[in-house]
């Protein structure tokens, strides 16, 4: 397990416990080089979930891809790394809970969008614009207008 701060590969485990859904072990580690602590998740059993992409091709499910997308959407927004991790964890849990072997990228996108909307509206619109693959900026602004309309209605 590589330290995410100094890239050192040697760390000691200071705490381990299973995640809520029981599919992984959450480990708190301390880097032996820089002394900083970080958390890792190790899967207990590999859930063979396959992602079906828009063009029909398939690839193994990879939660780090979701996290990358979420991070990108949350750039320069007041969203903590912990909140992003948590969002991705929730999405993964929901996908696992469906007990389906295949999940579409559209479904994943919808789950992420639903949660991002509560977390940060700007991040939500950014994510939606990439994920829904809006054909033109009009569609994007329609979505934005709907979102702002909802805000005004509250
Ligand atoms: Zn380190």
């Amino acid at each position: 397990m590589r330290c995410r701060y100094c890239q050192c590969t040697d760390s000691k485990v200071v705490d381990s416990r299973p995640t809520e859904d029981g599919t992984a072990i959450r480990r708190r580690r301390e880097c032996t080089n820089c002394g900083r602590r970080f958390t890792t998740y190790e899967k207990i059993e590999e859930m063979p979930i396959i992602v079906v992409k828009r063009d029909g091709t398939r690839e193994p499910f990879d939660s780090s891809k979701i996290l990358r997308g979420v991070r990108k959407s949350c750039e320069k927004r007041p969203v903590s790394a912990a909140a992003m991790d948590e969002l991705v964890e929730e999405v993964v849990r929901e996908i696992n809970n469906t007990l389906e072997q295949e999940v579409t990228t559209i479904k994943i996108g919808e789950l992420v969008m639903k949660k991002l909307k509560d977390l940060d509206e700007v991040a939500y619109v950014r994510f939606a614009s990439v994920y829904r693959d809006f054909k033109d900026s009009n569609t994007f602004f329609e979505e934005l207008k709907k979102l702002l309309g909802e805000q005004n209605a509250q």
Side-chain angles (χ1 to χ4, degrees), residues 124-139:
Y124 161 74
V125 174
R126 280 184 193 156
F127 188 90
S129 71
V130 175
Y131 229 91
R132 283 194 182 155
D133 196 18
F134 293 147
K135 296 279 178 290
D136 54 73
S137 52
N138 280 339
T139 328

Side-chain angles (χ1 to χ4, degrees), residues 2-8 10 30-36 38:
R2 197 177 281 274
C3 169
R4 64 180 62 157
Y5 301 104
C6 71
Q7 309 303 318
C8 167
D10 195 26
E30 192 179 291
C31 174
T32 52
N33 181 45
C34 73
R36 281 193 257 202
F38 55 99

Side-chain angles (χ1 to χ4, degrees), residues 6-146:
C6 71
Q7 309 303 318
C8 167
T9 50
D10 195 26
S11 63
K12 64 178 185 205
V13 175
V14 289
D15 181 39
S16 324
R17 58 200 152 97
T19 54
E20 217 174 59
D21 61 354
T23 60
I25 301 271
R26 183 191 166 105
R27 291 208 159 98
R28 200 70 188 136
R29 291 173 176 273
E30 192 179 291
C31 174
T32 52
N33 181 45
C34 73
R36 281 193 257 202
R37 290 185 174 190
F38 55 99
T39 305
T40 56
Y41 292 91
E42 288 154 52
K43 284 199 176 147
I44 290 171
E45 54 176 304
E46 210 51 56
M47 296 288 270
I49 292 177
I50 301 296
V51 175
V52 183
K53 300 206 281 188
R54 274 168 214 276
D55 60 3
T57 57
R58 285 155 165 81
E59 64 179 27
F61 178 73
D62 180 2
S63 64
S64 66
K65 279 193 180 166
I66 304 177
L67 185 59
R68 262 206 303 279
V70 169
R71 280 199 182 137
K72 209 165 175 181
S73 307
C74 292
E75 241 165 52
K76 294 183 181 150
R77 296 298 303 163
V79 179
S80 69
M84 291 184 236
D85 283 346
E86 201 179 309
L87 185 150
V88 174
E89 254 183 79
E90 280 173 20
V91 169
V92 171
R93 199 178 306 146
E94 281 184 33
I95 291 168
N96 281 334
N97 286 349
T98 64
L99 302 176
E100 299 281 349
Q101 284 214 316
E102 291 191 333
V103 60
T104 61
T105 49
I106 296 163
K107 175 78 186 162
I108 297 173
E110 279 168 4
L111 285 172
V112 174
M113 281 192 282
K114 209 172 70 193
K115 292 178 192 306
L116 262 187
K117 205 168 176 178
D118 295 334
L119 201 62
D120 186 278
E121 276 153 357
V122 172
Y124 161 74
V125 174
R126 280 184 193 156
F127 188 90
S129 71
V130 175
Y131 229 91
R132 283 194 182 155
D133 196 18
F134 293 147
K135 296 279 178 290
D136 54 73
S137 52
N138 280 339
T139 328
F140 176 72
F141 284 114
E142 279 306 309
E143 188 71 18
L144 195 61
K145 252 185 0 210
K146 258 198 304 199

